Amino acid sequence: MDYVEGLNLSIAYIEDNLFGEIDYDRAARIAGISKSTYQRFFLLIANMTLDEYIRKRKLQYAVRELMDTEHRVTDIAVKYGYNSATAFSRAMRHFTGKTPSQIREGGSVVCFPKLNFQIQIKEGEMVMNETAIVKIEEHKNEKVVCFTVDCVDPESEAWGQMAKWCKEHVPDRTARRYVGVAPSGHHPQDAGHQNASEHVRHPYKAMMYLIGDECFQEEFCGRKVEDAPSGLFLVNEVTLNQFDENENMDIALSLMKASEAFVEFMKNTEGYAFDCPAGIFYEEHIFSERWFQNGGVPDGFRMWVPVIKKL
């Protein structure tokens, strides 16, 4: 099951239980992702929170009941979760621009149908419901500071060093952009990925992007200023929904799964080709203050894959 099918199945579950108890954890499991990722992805794609979507779907049914029945407004308000006719009238006016009485008299043109997630290629981007999920970004003339290591579990070591340094020197750390790369690949000995518990030695570089005048310095807070990755990149949100046989979240497998969207994009996009013969890509990590204090899994991932324009 792909993630689009999973999202649509979760919407079907919500629709089936619209007037009962909706378990957000179950909706997320049906979609194949964690609850927090599900809610964030829903906001990104639907441009509203899950609570707002459910509320509007109920109000759509309430509109039909006002138009098609003679049930008392107070009874309809209670049925759709409002503790007073006043609260229901306020919500309906916000939703349709009309009061319940006006809807009963003249109807409503507002229509809020069930969501249906679809993917299409549009103007050089892969979009889901008009929101870009794969897009082409150009990066040039940017600067970073780096933490480079070569050890077992280098990602944890490099990002751990970055977190400690940021807490000491960077007050606006959650507003920064962070990108990592394994320049020789995550499995330089040509071994395939096994599971989330692998302990493999290889080089890894964690980078924090600099802002404004910081880019013109030779050093920033004791770290050498270096050139950032440059060129054209396909950028895709990565959903952390893959687990190994021990039920550990497998970030590497989630990244591999996300690459399927890139392949599909390139099959439907003329004028570009992959520019990563060694399979090297960049990982953008999205960090909240929680991560800087406690570590663990980042709050979000994006995958950057180098591409070039065809001649």
Side-chain angles (χ1 to χ4, degrees):
M1 180 178 70
D2 64 26
Y3 60 92
V4 178
E5 181 183 358
L7 286 169
N8 284 325
L9 286 174
S10 75
I11 292 296
Y13 161 76
I14 290 170
E15 202 71 17
D16 289 342
N17 294 275
L18 202 55
F19 304 107
E21 197 71 32
I22 297 175
D23 185 339
Y24 285 15
D25 288 302
R26 183 176 178 185
R29 286 197 301 273
I30 291 171
I33 53 182
S34 70
K35 179 181 176 181
S36 60
T37 300
Y38 181 68
Q39 291 176 311
R40 186 172 67 87
F41 196 70
F42 198 95
L43 179 61
L44 171 71
I45 300 302
N47 199 31
M48 70 184 76
T49 65
L50 184 55
D51 285 335
E52 184 180 2
Y53 171 76
I54 292 171
R55 180 178 62 81
K56 287 184 175 181
R57 283 296 293 148
K58 288 181 177 180
L59 285 171
Q60 181 64 57
Y61 278 94
V63 167
R64 294 306 315 172
E65 191 158 343
L66 286 168
M67 294 168 58
D68 297 342
T69 75
E70 296 182 358
H71 298 159
R72 296 190 310 163
V73 171
T74 301
D75 293 337
I76 295 175
V78 171
K79 177 179 178 179
Y80 290 97
Y82 294 88
N83 55 16
S84 70
T86 300
F88 177 63
S89 180
R90 186 166 53 246
M92 191 60 72
R93 191 178 185 91
H94 183 74
F95 181 55
T96 67
K98 296 182 178 182
T99 65
S101 297
Q102 290 171 329
I103 292 171
R104 180 152 273 174
E105 292 173 2
S108 171
V109 296
V110 172
C111 181
F112 190 79
K114 181 183 75 170
L115 269 175
N116 180 42
F117 292 104
Q118 296 179 333
I119 283 183
Q120 59 179 313
I121 303 297
K122 184 178 181 180
E123 297 179 355
E125 295 181 337
M126 177 180 282
V127 299
M128 179 185 288
N129 293 38
E130 302 303 319
T131 299
I133 58 172
V134 175
K135 57 185 178 180
I136 294 175
E137 293 184 5
E138 183 175 14
H139 292 269
K140 59 183 180 180
N141 303 324
E142 295 172 308
K143 299 291 183 179
V144 294
V145 293
C146 304
F147 289 83
T148 303
V149 299
D150 186 352
C151 61
V152 175
D153 294 332
E155 295 86 354
S156 297
E157 177 64 25
W159 289 119
Q161 292 181 20
M162 176 74 79
K164 181 179 179 181
W165 176 79
C166 282
K167 286 190 291 184
E168 294 175 355
H169 300 288
V170 187
D172 61 345
R173 50 187 171 266
T174 58
R176 302 286 181 141
R177 198 168 200 176
Y178 299 88
V179 173
V181 63
S184 302
H186 289 276
H187 299 280
Q189 290 82 33
D190 296 325
H193 177 72
Q194 300 298 318
N195 57 49
S197 303
E198 288 179 273
H199 299 281
V200 180
R201 176 173 183 147
H202 61 274
Y204 189 84
K205 178 185 288 188
M207 297 172 276
M208 185 192 80
Y209 277 65
L210 299 179
I211 301 172
D213 291 342
E214 298 168 356
C215 300
F216 301 105
Q217 304 174 26
E218 292 186 2
E219 288 191 354
F220 177 71
C221 297
R223 305 296 304 184
K224 180 183 176 183
V225 173
E226 302 181 28
D227 292 331
S230 62
L232 294 173
F233 299 89
L234 279 184
V235 179
N236 180 25
E237 294 275 342
V238 175
T239 303
L240 300 178
N241 61 352
Q242 299 297 312
F243 298 84
D244 66 13
E245 66 274 11
N246 299 315
E247 299 302 318
N248 297 312
M249 180 181 288
D250 197 325
I251 294 175
L253 195 57
S254 296
L255 289 166
M256 292 165 63
K257 189 71 174 177
S259 67
E260 295 176 5
F262 288 130
V263 173
E264 185 65 24
F265 178 89
M266 294 302 279
K267 284 198 297 189
N268 292 279
T269 303
E270 295 182 359
Y272 294 92
F274 287 118
D275 188 29
C276 48
I280 305 303
F281 58 87
Y282 297 83
E283 311 154 1
E284 181 179 354
H285 296 230
I286 301 168
F287 296 135
S288 65
E289 188 58 29
R290 172 204 61 78
W291 181 87
F292 283 103
Q293 299 303 325
N294 303 318
V297 177
D299 295 82
F301 269 89
R302 294 189 184 99
M303 189 174 176
W304 298 15
V305 174
V307 296
I308 55 173
K309 285 185 177 181
K310 294 179 180 177
L311 298 177

